[in-house]
Every structure is written in structure tokens, then in C-alpha cells.
Amino acid sequence: MNLRPLADRVIVKRIDSETKTASGIFIPDAAAEKPDQGEVLAVGPGKKNDKGDLLPMNVKVGDRVLFGKYSGQTVKVAGDELLVMKEDDLFAVVEGK
């Protein structure tokens, strides 16, 4: 990847949600909601506080994260649709999957 996020920004690739319900019904793409989970592909160095100290990031490359449906800025890189967002836009890290 040729993107290096700055400050407290992260680059996330959406993880496609299931297109089939538990009862076996297939959901067409037009009716499916945007996934609210993704995998972190790149992490910036962190944000500086008022004293100029660098605050470390809470996420790392490879983490699976939850975010809002309309969070971040969408960019296309080599045919892939990626999201660039601040770490504050992330809700949680999904553990154990």
C-alpha cells in the first residue's frame, strides 16, 4: 500500500457483511447496509498533546475494529475502497475472531 496516515489517522478496509440471513435468505446488494466493521491496514504515529509529547495509538495493523456507518473519508487505491479516519471515530476493537 502506498498510503501512510498522518497523526492519529488510520486506514481501514471494510469487511463485507454476510449476504445470507440465519434462516437462509439471501440479501441483495442494494438492500444490504454498509458494513460497520473493518480491518486496520495502516496506522499513523499518533497525536501530540499540549506539551508536544506523542500519544501512542490504541490500535495496530491487523486489528478488526467497529466504526460508524458514515465514519471516515472513502478513498480508492488500486481498485480497493478504503476508509481514512481518525482514531476517535473508532468505537471498539473486536477481540477473539
Side-chain angles (χ1 to χ4, degrees):
M1 178 188 337
N2 296 329
L3 294 178
R4 182 175 50 95
L6 302 175
D8 64 336
R9 288 184 171 74
V10 295
I11 298 178
V12 176
K13 182 174 184 178
R14 286 185 194 268
I15 296 174
D16 292 331
S17 59
E18 294 291 325
T19 58
K20 184 176 166 185
T21 64
S23 61
I25 299 171
F26 286 95
I27 302 170
D29 289 339
E33 293 184 7
K34 287 183 176 181
D36 56 357
Q37 290 189 32
E39 180 182 354
V40 176
L41 299 179
V43 177
K47 181 169 53 171
K48 292 189 177 186
N49 64 11
D50 295 338
K51 296 179 184 176
D53 298 327
L54 191 63
L55 301 173
M57 299 287 280
N58 292 315
V59 295
K60 61 186 180 305
V61 173
D63 280 349
R64 188 173 184 164
V65 293
L66 296 176
F67 50 87
K69 293 188 189 309
Y70 304 105
S71 296
Q73 177 66 43
T74 304
V75 295
K76 284 203 176 218
V77 177
D80 290 331
E81 190 172 290
L82 306 174
L83 291 169
V84 179
M85 62 180 72
K86 288 190 167 209
E87 186 182 34
D88 292 342
D89 292 339
L90 301 175
F91 298 148
V93 175
V94 179
E95 301 278 339
K97 264 214 166 184

XYZ file of all heavy atoms in Angstrom:
730
model
N 0.849 -1.171 0.000
C 0.000 0.000 0.000
C 0.895 1.235 0.000
O 1.923 1.255 0.648
C -0.888 -0.014 1.255
C -1.758 1.191 1.327
S -2.689 1.411 2.833
C -2.828 -0.151 3.514
N 0.468 2.253 -0.694
C 1.260 3.464 -0.823
C 0.745 4.605 0.043
O 1.086 5.748 -0.205
C 1.295 3.918 -2.284
C 1.999 2.902 -3.161
O 2.892 2.211 -2.715
N 1.577 2.804 -4.399
N -0.098 4.309 1.020
C -0.628 5.354 1.905
C 0.002 5.242 3.288
O 0.098 4.161 3.846
C -2.146 5.224 2.047
C -2.984 5.483 0.806
C -4.446 5.251 1.122
C -2.779 6.899 0.317
N 0.425 6.369 3.825
C 0.952 6.439 5.183
C 0.137 7.490 5.921
O 0.256 8.682 5.645
C 2.423 6.824 5.174
C 3.051 6.870 6.564
C 4.549 7.138 6.494
N 4.894 8.268 5.661
C 5.096 9.510 6.130
N 4.964 9.769 7.392
N 5.412 10.487 5.300
N -0.734 7.063 6.843
C -1.582 8.028 7.536
C -0.760 8.940 8.444
O 0.280 8.544 8.973
C -2.540 7.163 8.349
C -1.927 5.820 8.398
C -0.983 5.701 7.257
N -1.234 10.159 8.599
C -0.569 11.143 9.442
C -1.274 11.252 10.783
O -2.466 10.952 10.909
C -0.578 12.510 8.749
C 0.078 12.556 7.369
C -0.121 13.931 6.748
C 1.546 12.211 7.474
N -0.548 11.700 11.788
C -1.061 11.959 13.138
C -1.844 10.768 13.671
O -1.338 9.657 13.680
C -1.876 13.240 13.159
N -3.092 10.985 14.091
C -3.880 9.914 14.716
C -4.885 9.305 13.752
O -5.948 8.860 14.150
C -4.578 10.439 15.966
C -5.591 11.524 15.657
O -5.454 12.185 14.613
O -6.527 11.711 16.454
N -4.531 9.235 12.488
C -5.434 8.661 11.496
C -5.077 7.199 11.234
O -3.933 6.784 11.396
C -5.378 9.461 10.208
C -6.048 10.817 10.371
C -6.103 11.589 9.076
N -6.912 12.768 9.193
C -6.564 13.872 9.838
N -5.421 13.924 10.482
N -7.363 14.912 9.881
N -6.093 6.448 10.824
C -5.913 5.041 10.471
C -6.557 4.787 9.120
O -7.462 5.506 8.707
C -6.525 4.093 11.533
C -5.813 4.220 12.852
C -8.004 4.329 11.704
N -6.064 3.780 8.424
C -6.648 3.361 7.149
C -7.294 2.005 7.384
O -6.650 1.079 7.896
C -5.596 3.305 6.036
C -5.039 4.714 5.828
C -6.197 2.739 4.758
C -3.955 4.831 4.809
N -8.580 1.909 7.037
C -9.377 0.718 7.325
C -10.000 0.211 6.037
O -10.475 0.992 5.213
C -10.494 1.061 8.345
C -11.397 -0.132 8.589
C -9.905 1.571 9.649
N -10.006 -1.110 5.873
C -10.721 -1.742 4.765
C -11.954 -2.406 5.353
O -11.854 -3.196 6.292
C -9.846 -2.778 4.066
C -10.538 -3.414 2.886
C -9.616 -4.329 2.118
C -10.344 -4.854 0.897
N -9.476 -5.704 0.110
N -13.121 -2.069 4.804
C -14.375 -2.657 5.290
C -14.358 -4.167 5.096
O -13.868 -4.668 4.091
C -15.572 -2.102 4.525
C -15.939 -0.698 4.870
C -17.223 -0.307 4.144
N -17.441 1.110 4.176
C -18.144 1.727 5.119
N -18.695 1.035 6.083
N -18.302 3.033 5.091
N -14.921 -4.870 6.080
C -15.103 -6.313 5.979
C -16.545 -6.529 5.552
O -17.475 -6.074 6.224
C -14.825 -6.997 7.330
C -13.362 -6.793 7.723
C -15.167 -8.481 7.255
C -13.026 -7.299 9.109
N -16.736 -7.207 4.424
C -18.079 -7.425 3.894
C -18.919 -8.219 4.871
O -18.456 -9.207 5.453
C -18.030 -8.159 2.555
C -17.429 -7.292 1.462
O -17.564 -6.061 1.553
O -16.833 -7.852 0.530
N -20.154 -7.785 5.050
C -21.072 -8.491 5.934
C -21.689 -9.684 5.203
O -21.587 -9.800 3.983
C -22.167 -7.544 6.430
O -22.875 -7.020 5.336
N -22.322 -10.530 5.965
C -22.960 -11.717 5.399
C -24.078 -11.305 4.441
O -24.833 -10.393 4.724
C -23.547 -12.578 6.514
C -22.506 -13.182 7.425
C -21.675 -14.248 6.746
O -22.206 -14.991 5.911
O -20.479 -14.332 7.053
N -24.196 -12.001 3.326
C -25.279 -11.733 2.372
C -26.384 -12.762 2.508
O -27.272 -12.823 1.677
C -24.734 -11.742 0.930
O -24.130 -13.000 0.676
C -23.745 -10.622 0.711
N -26.310 -13.562 3.566
C -27.315 -14.595 3.796
C -27.729 -14.540 5.265
O -26.881 -14.474 6.143
C -26.707 -15.960 3.467
C -27.637 -17.118 3.557
C -26.891 -18.366 3.101
C -27.638 -19.610 3.482
N -26.881 -20.813 3.151
N -29.021 -14.527 5.527
C -29.519 -14.490 6.903
C -29.384 -15.869 7.546
O -29.103 -16.856 6.870
C -30.993 -14.054 6.948
O -31.783 -15.047 6.280
C -31.198 -12.693 6.305
N -29.615 -15.935 8.852
C -29.526 -17.198 9.574
C -30.545 -18.216 9.062
O -30.318 -19.420 9.124
C -29.731 -16.952 11.065
N -31.668 -17.733 8.549
C -32.694 -18.645 8.035
C -32.452 -19.051 6.576
O -33.231 -19.807 6.017
C -34.075 -18.004 8.173
O -34.131 -16.806 7.423
N -31.378 -18.529 5.954
C -31.031 -18.942 4.601
C -31.484 -18.013 3.494
O -31.336 -18.335 2.328
N -32.027 -16.867 3.842
C -32.486 -15.913 2.827
C -31.306 -15.059 2.377
O -30.579 -14.520 3.207
C -33.602 -15.011 3.386
C -34.800 -15.874 3.788
C -34.009 -13.945 2.373
C -35.868 -15.113 4.537
N -31.119 -14.921 1.064
C -30.043 -14.100 0.532
C -30.482 -12.651 0.457
O -31.582 -12.345 0.002
C -29.619 -14.588 -0.865
C -28.823 -15.855 -0.810
C -29.439 -17.084 -0.967
C -27.466 -15.815 -0.580
C -28.717 -18.256 -0.913
C -26.721 -16.974 -0.525
C -27.352 -18.204 -0.682
N -29.591 -11.743 0.879
C -29.870 -10.309 0.864
C -29.200 -9.707 -0.369
O -27.985 -9.826 -0.528
C -29.323 -9.626 2.129
C -29.935 -10.273 3.371
C -29.589 -8.130 2.104
C -29.283 -9.847 4.661
N -29.960 -9.043 -1.260
C -29.332 -8.418 -2.435
C -28.453 -7.241 -2.020
O -28.655 -6.628 -0.981
C -30.519 -7.947 -3.270
C -31.665 -7.884 -2.334
C -31.401 -8.867 -1.232
N -27.441 -6.944 -2.854
C -26.506 -5.859 -2.543
C -27.210 -4.535 -2.325
O -26.797 -3.733 -1.492
C -25.476 -5.707 -3.669
C -24.490 -6.861 -3.685
O -24.350 -7.537 -2.638
O -23.875 -7.087 -4.738
N -28.268 -4.265 -3.074
C -28.968 -2.985 -2.960
C -29.641 -2.832 -1.600
O -29.780 -1.728 -1.093
C -30.012 -2.857 -4.063
N -30.044 -3.931 -0.978
C -30.744 -3.878 0.312
C -29.789 -3.991 1.494
O -30.164 -3.680 2.617
C -31.774 -4.988 0.386
N -28.565 -4.423 1.249
C -27.617 -4.617 2.345
C -27.092 -3.281 2.850
O -26.885 -2.339 2.078
C -26.460 -5.490 1.873
N -26.878 -3.209 4.151
C -26.313 -1.996 4.745
C -24.793 -2.029 4.609
O -24.189 -3.088 4.452
C -26.681 -1.920 6.223
C -28.152 -1.716 6.459
C -28.459 -1.541 7.935
O -27.522 -1.448 8.745
O -29.648 -1.504 8.267
N -24.175 -0.847 4.710
C -22.727 -0.781 4.688
C -22.186 -1.498 5.921
O -22.726 -1.342 7.012
C -22.251 0.678 4.735
C -22.442 1.444 3.478
C -21.857 2.824 3.662
C -21.928 3.637 2.412
N -21.336 4.965 2.594
N -21.128 -2.268 5.750
C -20.550 -2.939 6.916
C -19.996 -1.906 7.902
O -19.496 -0.857 7.500
C -19.421 -3.777 6.339
C -19.591 -3.763 4.877
C -20.449 -2.611 4.522
N -20.099 -2.222 9.190
C -19.579 -1.317 10.205
C -18.360 -1.912 10.898
O -17.988 -1.506 11.981
C -20.662 -0.954 11.214
C -21.280 -2.179 11.863
O -20.908 -3.311 11.490
O -22.136 -2.002 12.737
N -17.744 -2.898 10.251
C -16.513 -3.498 10.752
C -15.460 -3.439 9.666
O -15.783 -3.435 8.477
C -16.720 -4.962 11.128
C -17.558 -5.167 12.351
C -17.532 -6.624 12.781
O -16.550 -7.324 12.593
N -18.631 -7.074 13.368
N -14.212 -3.380 10.086
C -13.136 -3.356 9.122
C -11.834 -3.807 9.728
O -11.729 -4.001 10.940
N -10.841 -3.966 8.854
C -9.505 -4.350 9.284
C -8.573 -3.161 9.105
O -8.583 -2.507 8.058
C -8.997 -5.531 8.451
C -7.624 -5.975 8.847
C -7.094 -7.102 7.990
O -7.842 -7.617 7.147
O -5.922 -7.452 8.160
N -7.779 -2.879 10.122
C -6.835 -1.764 10.078
C -5.662 -2.163 9.188
O -5.007 -3.174 9.428
C -6.348 -1.396 11.497
C -5.303 -0.298 11.431
C -7.511 -0.973 12.372
N -5.412 -1.361 8.142
C -4.315 -1.634 7.210
C -3.073 -0.807 7.502
O -1.966 -1.231 7.209
C -4.770 -1.370 5.775
C -5.936 -2.215 5.258
C -6.268 -1.816 3.829
C -5.624 -3.684 5.346
N -3.264 0.394 8.055
C -2.135 1.268 8.366
C -2.524 2.196 9.510
O -3.694 2.552 9.660
C -1.729 2.094 7.143
N -1.528 2.572 10.315
C -1.753 3.415 11.487
C -0.738 4.543 11.480
O 0.447 4.314 11.218
C -1.593 2.580 12.786
C -1.758 3.436 14.012
C -2.572 1.429 12.814
N -1.198 5.756 11.783
C -0.298 6.892 11.896
C 0.518 6.820 13.173
O 0.283 5.970 14.036
N 1.471 7.735 13.335
C 2.343 7.705 14.515
C 1.647 8.099 15.813
O 2.103 7.764 16.892
C 3.444 8.701 14.166
C 2.822 9.612 13.168
C 1.830 8.787 12.404
N 0.553 8.810 15.744
C -0.158 9.259 16.944
C -0.284 10.772 16.962
O 0.286 11.471 16.143
N -1.043 11.253 17.942
C -1.300 12.684 18.078
C -0.425 13.240 19.196
O -0.113 12.550 20.151
C -2.785 12.872 18.396
C -3.225 14.297 18.548
C -4.726 14.461 18.603
C -5.417 13.616 19.630
N -6.834 13.952 19.809
N -0.049 14.505 19.072
C 0.745 15.150 20.119
C -0.171 15.885 21.085
O -1.161 16.481 20.682
C 1.744 16.131 19.501
C 2.820 15.428 18.709
C 3.914 16.364 18.297
C 4.983 15.572 17.566
N 6.147 16.368 17.252
N 0.184 15.832 22.366
C -0.596 16.557 23.365
C -0.106 17.995 23.471
O 0.752 18.427 22.692
C -0.565 15.840 24.717
C 0.825 15.773 25.330
O 1.755 16.432 24.870
N 0.979 14.967 26.359
N -0.630 18.747 24.432
C -0.278 20.168 24.576
C 1.200 20.389 24.889
O 1.747 21.436 24.578
C -1.127 20.805 25.675
C -2.596 20.824 25.316
O -2.916 20.755 24.110
O -3.435 20.899 26.234
N 1.838 19.411 25.493
C 3.261 19.528 25.841
C 4.174 19.107 24.696
O 5.387 19.217 24.802
C 3.560 18.668 27.066
C 2.837 19.118 28.306
C 3.161 18.198 29.462
C 2.365 18.590 30.689
N 2.597 17.659 31.800
N 3.588 18.584 23.633
C 4.378 18.142 22.491
C 4.771 16.677 22.562
O 5.504 16.194 21.707
N 4.284 15.954 23.582
C 4.589 14.531 23.695
C 3.680 13.736 22.764
O 2.496 14.034 22.634
C 4.368 14.043 25.134
C 5.282 14.754 26.132
O 6.412 15.100 25.747
O 4.844 14.962 27.281
N 4.230 12.717 22.138
C 3.472 11.878 21.215
C 2.655 10.858 22.004
O 3.190 10.096 22.800
C 4.426 11.158 20.259
C 3.808 10.449 19.068
C 3.115 11.449 18.149
C 4.869 9.695 18.304
N 1.341 10.875 21.788
C 0.451 9.909 22.433
C 0.365 8.672 21.550
O 0.043 8.778 20.370
C -0.945 10.507 22.634
C -1.014 11.778 23.478
C -2.424 12.348 23.456
C -0.578 11.477 24.896
N 0.634 7.485 22.094
C 0.617 6.274 21.265
C -0.792 5.920 20.817
O -1.780 6.251 21.475
C 1.183 5.195 22.190
C 0.913 5.695 23.566
C 0.953 7.202 23.489
N -0.877 5.226 19.698
C -2.160 4.780 19.151
C -2.636 3.541 19.915
O -1.825 2.752 20.393
C -2.019 4.449 17.675
C -1.595 5.633 16.816
S -2.889 6.832 16.593
C -3.825 6.046 15.309
N -3.963 3.384 20.031
C -4.550 2.238 20.722
C -4.832 1.065 19.795
O -5.170 -0.014 20.260
C -5.853 2.648 21.409
C -5.610 3.586 22.557
O -4.725 3.365 23.365
N -6.388 4.650 22.613
N -4.730 1.276 18.479
C -4.960 0.206 17.516
C -3.670 -0.074 16.764
O -2.776 0.764 16.716
C -6.089 0.554 16.520
C -7.418 0.688 17.230
C -5.778 1.796 15.734
N -3.599 -1.267 16.182
C -2.417 -1.632 15.406
C -2.865 -2.282 14.095
O -4.031 -2.645 13.955
C -1.517 -2.565 16.200
C -2.140 -3.879 16.595
C -1.220 -4.671 17.505
C -1.801 -5.990 17.916
N -3.097 -5.955 18.528
N -1.962 -2.408 13.174
C -2.259 -3.025 11.883
C -2.740 -4.450 12.128
O -2.171 -5.183 12.934
C -1.005 -3.021 10.975
C -1.257 -3.816 9.710
C -0.604 -1.595 10.648
N -3.842 -4.815 11.457
C -4.400 -6.147 11.590
C -5.566 -6.232 12.551
O -6.288 -7.228 12.563
N -5.783 -5.199 13.381
C -6.917 -5.199 14.303
C -8.218 -5.134 13.530
O -8.320 -4.472 12.503
C -6.867 -3.999 15.255
C -5.913 -4.195 16.413
O -5.430 -5.329 16.619
O -5.660 -3.203 17.128
N -9.233 -5.830 14.041
C -10.586 -5.742 13.491
C -11.339 -4.746 14.363
O -11.382 -4.905 15.590
C -11.245 -7.113 13.527
C -12.549 -7.174 12.819
C -13.040 -8.602 12.764
N -14.262 -8.637 11.995
C -14.792 -9.711 11.497
N -14.200 -10.876 11.681
N -15.906 -9.663 10.816
N -11.902 -3.708 13.745
C -12.494 -2.608 14.507
C -13.942 -2.349 14.103
O -14.373 -2.715 13.011
C -11.673 -1.309 14.318
C -10.298 -1.433 14.944
C -11.550 -0.936 12.854
N -14.678 -1.719 15.022
C -16.039 -1.258 14.770
C -16.021 0.249 14.603
O -15.293 0.946 15.311
C -16.953 -1.608 15.946
C -17.189 -3.072 16.246
C -18.039 -3.199 17.497
C -17.866 -3.751 15.086
N -16.845 0.764 13.682
C -16.934 2.196 13.448
C -18.334 2.526 12.973
O -19.116 1.633 12.634
C -15.879 2.659 12.426
C -15.855 1.849 11.165
C -16.694 2.168 10.106
C -14.998 0.778 11.033
C -16.669 1.434 8.938
C -14.966 0.028 9.865
C -15.808 0.359 8.814
N -18.671 3.807 12.935
C -19.983 4.245 12.485
C -20.162 4.044 10.992
O -19.194 4.031 10.227
N -21.407 3.880 10.574
C -21.700 3.619 9.165
C -21.202 4.723 8.234
O -20.872 4.477 7.092
C -23.195 3.425 8.967
C -23.719 2.171 9.626
C -25.145 1.927 9.250
C -25.787 0.817 10.025
N -25.099 -0.426 10.085
N -21.188 5.950 8.706
C -20.789 7.083 7.857
C -19.473 7.703 8.312
O -19.184 8.851 8.008
C -21.911 8.118 7.821
C -23.212 7.512 7.362
C -24.235 7.237 8.250
C -23.393 7.160 6.031
C -25.423 6.653 7.830
C -24.571 6.565 5.594
C -25.582 6.323 6.498
O -26.735 5.732 6.077
N -18.669 6.956 9.037
C -17.383 7.458 9.534
C -16.341 7.458 8.427
O -16.367 6.625 7.527
C -16.874 6.580 10.677
O -17.728 6.628 11.768
N -15.409 8.374 8.544
C -14.245 8.391 7.675
C -14.489 8.945 6.286
O -15.606 9.251 5.895
N -13.394 9.064 5.564
C -13.394 9.552 4.186
C -13.025 8.382 3.281
O -12.014 7.733 3.484
C -12.363 10.674 4.039
C -12.225 11.221 2.642
C -13.490 11.931 2.201
O -14.081 12.674 2.957
N -13.882 11.686 0.975
N -13.846 8.103 2.290
C -13.603 6.991 1.373
C -12.599 7.396 0.307
O -12.709 8.464 -0.292
C -14.922 6.555 0.699
O -15.869 6.237 1.713
C -14.705 5.357 -0.190
N -11.599 6.531 0.075
C -10.615 6.728 -0.992
C -10.460 5.410 -1.743
O -10.665 4.347 -1.179
C -9.241 7.200 -0.448
C -9.333 8.555 0.173
C -8.671 6.204 0.529
N -10.113 5.506 -3.021
C -9.864 4.301 -3.822
C -8.379 4.221 -4.111
O -7.777 5.170 -4.613
C -10.646 4.349 -5.129
C -12.106 4.047 -4.949
C -12.708 3.559 -6.246
C -14.143 3.178 -5.941
N -14.537 2.011 -6.662
N -7.796 3.059 -3.792
C -6.385 2.818 -4.040
C -6.261 1.456 -4.711
O -6.672 0.446 -4.139
C -5.570 2.828 -2.720
C -4.115 2.500 -2.973
C -5.698 4.173 -2.019
N -5.732 1.438 -5.897
C -5.538 0.197 -6.666
C -6.820 -0.619 -6.746
O -6.803 -1.835 -6.601
C -4.398 -0.620 -6.058
N -7.949 0.048 -6.952
C -9.221 -0.631 -7.090
C -9.906 -0.992 -5.786
O -11.044 -1.434 -5.785
N -9.228 -0.832 -4.658
C -9.817 -1.124 -3.352
C -10.404 0.142 -2.752
O -9.804 1.218 -2.841
C -8.771 -1.671 -2.376
C -8.315 -3.067 -2.734
O -9.110 -3.810 -3.326
O -7.162 -3.411 -2.401
N -11.577 0.013 -2.137
C -12.202 1.143 -1.453
C -11.785 1.099 0.015
O -12.074 0.139 0.723
C -13.715 1.063 -1.574
C -14.411 2.311 -1.102
C -15.892 2.285 -1.415
O -16.240 2.378 -2.603
O -16.668 2.170 -0.460
N -11.075 2.128 0.454
C -10.558 2.202 1.812
C -11.140 3.404 2.530
O -11.604 4.349 1.899
C -9.029 2.308 1.793
C -8.278 1.239 1.009
C -6.787 1.566 0.975
C -8.507 -0.125 1.613
N -11.091 3.376 3.849
C -11.546 4.491 4.674
C -10.358 5.086 5.408
O -9.538 4.350 5.963
C -12.567 4.016 5.706
C -13.910 3.568 5.180
C -14.699 2.884 6.287
C -14.688 4.755 4.658
N -10.274 6.408 5.415
C -9.286 7.114 6.222
C -10.065 7.831 7.309
O -10.974 8.608 7.015
C -8.486 8.137 5.378
C -7.492 8.869 6.241
C -7.791 7.445 4.217
N -9.746 7.509 8.564
C -10.487 8.113 9.672
C -9.570 8.341 10.861
O -8.497 7.749 10.942
C -11.676 7.242 10.069
C -11.325 5.861 10.558
S -12.748 4.869 11.008
C -13.443 4.494 9.441
N -10.020 9.210 11.747
C -9.284 9.452 12.978
C -9.531 8.298 13.938
O -10.577 7.642 13.886
C -9.725 10.754 13.633
C -9.255 11.973 12.892
C -9.509 13.202 13.716
C -8.752 14.350 13.097
N -8.377 15.331 14.076
N -8.580 8.076 14.811
C -8.733 7.009 15.798
C -9.964 7.244 16.670
O -10.622 6.298 17.101
C -7.476 6.904 16.662
C -7.512 5.736 17.614
C -6.289 5.653 18.503
O -5.746 6.715 18.883
O -5.893 4.536 18.826
N -10.328 8.498 16.900
C -11.511 8.831 17.707
C -12.805 8.334 17.070
O -13.807 8.164 17.761
C -11.619 10.347 17.913
C -10.518 10.895 18.798
O -9.882 10.095 19.515
O -10.302 12.119 18.779
N -12.816 8.116 15.738
C -14.009 7.630 15.044
C -14.239 6.137 15.242
O -15.311 5.628 14.908
C -13.919 7.923 13.543
C -13.988 9.410 13.244
O -14.495 10.160 14.091
O -13.537 9.813 12.154
N -13.243 5.432 15.753
C -13.378 4.002 16.003
C -14.075 3.785 17.330
O -13.817 4.494 18.302
C -12.006 3.326 16.027
C -11.191 3.461 14.742
C -9.805 2.849 14.957
C -11.879 2.801 13.588
N -14.998 2.813 17.364
C -15.749 2.523 18.591
C -15.083 1.463 19.450
O -15.080 1.551 20.661
C -17.168 2.059 18.251
C -17.992 3.072 17.536
C -18.938 2.676 16.618
C -17.847 4.428 17.765
C -19.728 3.599 15.954
C -18.618 5.355 17.102
C -19.576 4.954 16.195
N -14.549 0.406 18.822
C -14.011 -0.711 19.583
C -13.126 -1.586 18.710
O -13.212 -1.540 17.489
C -15.148 -1.557 20.146
N -12.295 -2.384 19.366
C -11.515 -3.426 18.701
C -12.219 -4.749 18.980
O -12.551 -5.041 20.136
C -10.070 -3.463 19.228
C -9.304 -4.623 18.625
C -9.351 -2.158 18.932
N -12.480 -5.522 17.933
C -13.151 -6.819 18.084
C -12.091 -7.829 18.510
O -11.110 -8.047 17.792
C -13.830 -7.262 16.768
C -14.494 -8.613 16.936
C -14.839 -6.210 16.326
N -12.281 -8.443 19.663
C -11.326 -9.419 20.202
C -11.799 -10.832 19.903
O -12.988 -11.100 19.852
C -11.226 -9.241 21.721
C -10.783 -7.859 22.168
C -9.294 -7.659 22.120
O -8.555 -8.669 22.120
O -8.857 -6.499 22.083
N -10.861 -11.735 19.718
C -11.168 -13.159 19.636
C -11.846 -13.650 18.385
O -12.564 -14.617 18.420
N -11.648 -13.010 17.251
C -12.239 -13.501 15.998
C -11.159 -13.869 15.049
O -10.190 -13.318 14.877
C -13.142 -12.452 15.380
C -14.548 -12.721 15.769
C -15.442 -12.334 14.647
C -16.802 -12.928 14.916
N -17.753 -12.780 13.974
